[in-house]
Amino acid sequence: MAEATPHPLALPSGLLELCALLGPSRDSLRGPELVAQKKGASSLSALDPEVLSIFVPPFVSKEDTQLAGTSCALSKTRRRSFRKKREKPKTEPWKGPPPEDVSVPNGVDLLALPQLCFPGGVCVASEPKEDSVHFLVLTDVCGNRTYGVVAQYYRPLHDESCFYNGKMHWEPFRPPGGAAGCFVPFAVCVVSRFPYYNALKDCLSCLLTHLKLCKDFEVDNHIKDFAAKLSLIPSPPPGPLHLVFNMKPLQIVFPSRADPESPVVDLDLHLPLLCFRPEQVLQILTCLLTEQRIVFFSSSWALLALVAECFLAYLHPLHWQHTFVPILSGQMLDFVMAPTSFLMGCHLDHFQEVSKEADGLILINIDNGSITYSNDEDIDVPDIPLLAAQTFIQRSLGTGAPSPQQVHRLAPARGSHHPAAGLSPDKVTLQQPVPVPTLPPAVGDRPAGDETQAHRPLPARPSNRRAAGAQARGEGFVAETPPPRVPSVTPKATCSFKVPEIHFPLVSQCVQAYYSDCVGLLSKAMSLLAPDNSVLLARYFYLRGAVHLMQGQLLDALLDFQSLYKTDIRIFPADLVRRTVESMSGPERAQAERVPELRRLISEVVDKPGEAPKPDDHVKNFELPKKHMQLDDFVKRVQESGIVKDTNIINRLFEALTVGHQKQIDPETFKDFYNCWKEAEAEAQEVSLPSSVMEHLDKNECVYKLSSSVKTNRGVGKIAMTQKRLFLLTEGRPGYVEISTFRDIEEVRSTTVAFLLLRIPTLKIKTASKKEVFEANLKTECDVWHLMVKEMWAGKKLADDHKDPQYIQQALTHVLLMDAVVGTLQSPGAIYAASKLSYFDKMRNEMPAAVPKTTSETLKHKINPSAGETLPHAVDVLLYTPGHLDPAEKVEDARPKLWCALSEGKVIVFDASSWTIHQHCFRVGTSKLNCMAMAEQSQVWVGSEDSVIYIINVHSMSCNKQLTDHRSGVTGFAVQSGAPSKVYSCSADGTVLAWNVSSLRVTSRLQLPGGGLSSIRLHDGCLWCCTGSGIVVVTTGGSLRQELKVEENSKDASTSFLGFQLLPEQEQLWAACAGLDGVYIWSLRDLARPPQRVHLQDCAEVSCMIRVKKQIWVGGTGRSQGKYKGKIYVIDAQRKTVEKELVAHTDAVKTLCSAEDRYVLSGSGSGEGKIAIWKVE
C-alpha cells in the first residue's frame, strides 16, 4: 500500500503572518446617522472599526490537505481564513477571539489592531479621498516584533441596504463631478515577521487596483488570493541574493539581510536627512543612545514609522531594547505617561496636548524639523564627540542628497512626470510604487513664532558664532578645523532570483506545481554559477532545501542542507534541520542514514543535542574578567562562559590553573584559557572525515581531539580521539587504522625510544585484542596524550562497572580541559597542573575495588536527571507510567514514561523505553515534591510541601490545574479505580481528602488526630494511614477500624513508622521504623501480636520500601567497603530473608518505584543525584 504524501510544510521564514480586512461594521453603515449624512447633514460621529476578515496561511482547502497528507510532523496546525458572518445581525463590534480554525500569530492583538489601522478614526466622507499607506510595529509580551503595512482606501456607498448585503447585483458607484456621495473607508493590513515596508507597500498598491473595481462579495476572495501569494514566497536568506516576484503590474523586490546579524532594510534610509539638518540627526541619535523618552510627531502617519525605523537602523549593531510604538492612536495617548524609556509616535494634532501633560519628553516634529522638550529643564543631552560629528556632517554633505529646501522646491516638478508624485509618504498610487515622498514645509520655510511656552528647543550644538550664523542662513554647520577625509563606500554587488508565477485556484496540484517550478529554476541557476561563486551557491541550496520541505521531500531537503552546511555554515538552519529529522518516520530516517553525508549531518545536529547549542543556550552578556578572581568568582565566570557548568569540575580546574601560585586567577590567564578552549572547540568542529573513515565509526561518534602528524608503528598520520576509541587518520589519502577502543585497553605508558643520539617521547598502548603494542612518537604532545588516554580509559571502565554512560562524558570534559590548561600555561609544570583534572584515573588507582558482583549483575543502567545542572539534585519521587495510555495519543508520545521529581519543584520526564529525556525540566511550584500518582491515564498528580496538588496533563506535558484545599504539605496519594474514579490525598496535618477525578471536587474529608500523616493506602475498602506514631485503619466514611501503635511494639520510645507495605495474599503488613536496622512484619489477622523482624546487615537507616512480585525492596543507607553508601535490600517475602544487598548509590536511596514488576528504579540524594535501573528476577 502506497504511503501518503507529506503535508505541504511552511517555509522556515515565510513572509506572511496574517492578512486582515478592517472597516466599519455593516450595522453601523445602516444607522440613521449615516442616512442623515447622505441627505446632507453636517456632522456625523466617528464609526468604530473592527476586524471583518482574517486570512492566515497555509491556504489549502481541507479536501486537498487530506489528499496530500503525510506523516511529516513539521506543520500540524490547520489554519484557514476567518470572515465575519454577515447573515446574523450584530450590534457590537466583534471583540472575542477568532474561531478555532484560525490561529492568530503571537504578537498580533486583534483588539488593538483596528485602532492602529485607523489611528485617526473612521469617518464616512462625502467625496472620494486618496488612498493612503502607513506602517505598524507590533510587539508581543516577549519583546518579539512583527511588522504591519496598512493600506486605507474608500468605497462608495449610495444606498444603506446595498453595502455588505451579499447581493450579486452590486455595481460600483462613481458620482459625477460635484455630486454629493458617501464614501466608506476600509483597510487591508499585512503582518510579517520582517520589515519589508517598501515591498509590502507596493504589493498592497497592486491589490487596491483590484479591490476598488471588484464587487462586494468578491473582496474577500481577492484578499485571500493576495495573501496566499505572499504566504508562498520564501524570505531570502542573509547574503547578496534578493527575491523578485511578479505581483502584476509591478515586479516586487524582497531584499535580503546583508549578513545573519544585520536587520532587513527595506526603506529609504536617507529619509531623516531630508527631514532634519545633519546636526539635528546627531542630536536625535544622541537621545536614542542615552535612552531618553522620545516622541515623534507628524501630520503623516507613514512618516512616523519610517523615520523612527531609519534612526533605529542607524544604531546597528546596537538595538533599541525599550518600548517602541511608532503610531499611537488617540485612545493610546496615555502611553506617553510611562516612566521608562520609550520611542513613540503621535499625530501632529496632539503635539500641544502631549507637550503640556507629560514631563521629561524629547519632542521631535518631523514636519518642520524641530527638536524640543517638554516642561522639565533637567534633560541633559550630551554632545557627540567633535571629530565624529564633523565626519558625519561632511559625509552627509558629500552624499549629494538634496537638502530639505531643495526637496520642497523640487516636489511640483517631480510630480509632472510621475503619476504618484506630490503624495505624502502615506499615499499610494494604483499604477506604480510610491517614490521618495514629498515632504512638508522645509526647515528654512517654517513660519515664525510657532513655538509655545510649554516646550523649548534643545540647545544648538555647537554653539560658536560662526556655526550659529551658518544655521541661521540654513547653510548647516561649518567646521573651523579642516574636515576629515570622507572615504568612498562601494556598494556590495547583489543578485536577484525571480520567483515563478503562482497559478490559481489555490489547490494542492497548483501549489505542488509552483514548488516544482521553484526547484527547477533554482537548479538551473545553480548550474549556471561559476565554480568559485560559493556565496550564491549557498543561498540557492538554502532556498531549494526550504522548497523541498514544502514539497514533503525530506531526503532531498536534507541533502541540500548538508551541501549548505559544507558551503556556508553561517546561514545553516540547525533548528529546522533538527525538526525535520525528528519528524521523519523510521524507514525515512534509516534511508537518510545510509547516505554517509547525511549520517554525519544527523550526528552533528540531532544526535548531539548537548553539544549543539540551542537558541536559548547561547551565552549572553558574558564578558572576560578584568580583575583577579577567587574561587567563587571563577566558578561563576566559567559557568557564564558556557564551557562547563558542573561546580565540582570547575573546582578541579581552579586547582589546575593555580598550581604553585596564589589561589586566585588573573584576567590574562583566564583570557588565555578561554581562547585555548574556543580554538580547540573550533578545530574539532572543522574535522571533516571521508566516508571511508565514517563507515568505521558509530553514528554518534565525533572526533574531539586530533594530534599533529606523527610517526607510529602502524603508519604516519594523526591520532584521533572520539568518545569511544582511538584511531589513526593516515596521511596522503585519508584512511582509517584502528588503534583501540577504550574498553579494550590494558595498559598505557609514556616512555622514550632511541633515535640516533636522541630520546624521543613515545606513547605505548597495549590492548587485549592485539598482541602488538601501539607506539606513537608524539614528542612534545606525549605527556598530555598520556594523561588524556588514561582518563578516557578510566572513565570507560567506570561507565561499564556502574552502567553509567555519563562517566564517559565527564571524562571527555576532563580531557578537553587538560588540553586547554596545557595550552594556557605552556610551562614545565603544565602537565602536573593538568593532572589535577585526571579525576577518574585517580579514582581507579585509589579505589581499585570493583563493584560487588551481585550489584553489577542486577544493575541494568544509570541515568542522570541533573545532567547540565551546576550541582546534582536529590531525586525525591519517582513514578512509572505504562505506555499507550490513551488510544487518541500519538504513537511517538505513547511510550512508557518515568517521572522524576527533583528539588525545588522540578520535574523531568524520561522515555522509559530508551531511558532518554522525553520532557526537559519544568516546574510545579518551588517547594519540595513529596508524592506522585497517576489518575485516569491522562493526569499525573503531584503533591508538594507547599500544600498544593499540581495536576500535569500527560499529553501536553503542562501543569494547568492546581488543587489548594490542603493546609499542610501533601504527603501521599491513593488511587481508587472505577466510575467515577477517586483519588485520596493526605497531608502532614492529618487531613485526608477524597477527590472526584472528573470534577476535581472534594467529595469527603477526614481528619486524623495527632498529625504526622506520611502515606496512605487503599485495601479492602479501608484507608490504611501511616501517621508516624502508628498505622490507623479507617473506612472511607471515617470510622476507625483498628490501630497499630509503634510504642506498643518497640522498646525505643523515640522511634516512628517511616512507611509500610501490604501483602494481602499473605495477610501481612511490612513496616520500617526510624532508627531501626530492620523491617517488621505483622499479621493482618491480629495486629496485636508481636511482629517478626528481618535484620538488614550494615543498615544505618531505612528511607523507603516497595513491593515487587513476591519481594520487598528496601532502600536506605548502609556501610559498604568502609563507607556509608546508598543500599538496597531485596527480601524474599515468603522466606523473610535478605536475598540481595545492592550497593546502589554513593548517597542515600531516597525513593523506589517499580516498572511493571520488570525493573525497579531507585533515586539517590543530592550527593549523587542519579537514578539506577535494576533488573527484577
Side-chain angles (χ1 to χ4, degrees), residues 800-866:
D800 290 345
D801 290 346
H802 295 271
K803 310 292 178 63
D804 186 355
Q806 196 193 20
Y807 281 109
I808 286 292
Q809 295 300 322
Q810 289 180 342
L812 188 59
T813 301
H814 294 158
V815 162
L816 298 177
L817 290 174
M818 288 178 199
D819 186 47
V821 166
V822 171
T824 301
L825 301 181
Q826 294 183 353
S827 65
I831 298 300
Y832 173 73
S835 68
K836 296 292 184 179
L837 292 158
S838 296
Y839 182 67
F840 294 145
D841 185 44
K842 291 176 184 176
M843 282 180 58
R844 185 170 58 88
N845 294 327
E846 295 172 1
M847 296 184 297
V851 176
K853 182 179 179 181
T854 304
T855 300
S856 181
E857 291 175 348
T858 310
L859 180 61
K860 176 180 173 60
H861 192 62
K862 273 193 177 182
I863 54 180
N864 184 11
S866 299

Side-chain angles (χ1 to χ4, degrees), residues 1064-1077:
E1065 63 277 4
Q1066 299 181 30
E1067 296 185 333
Q1068 292 176 352
L1069 168 67
W1070 292 59
C1073 298
L1076 302 182
D1077 60 352

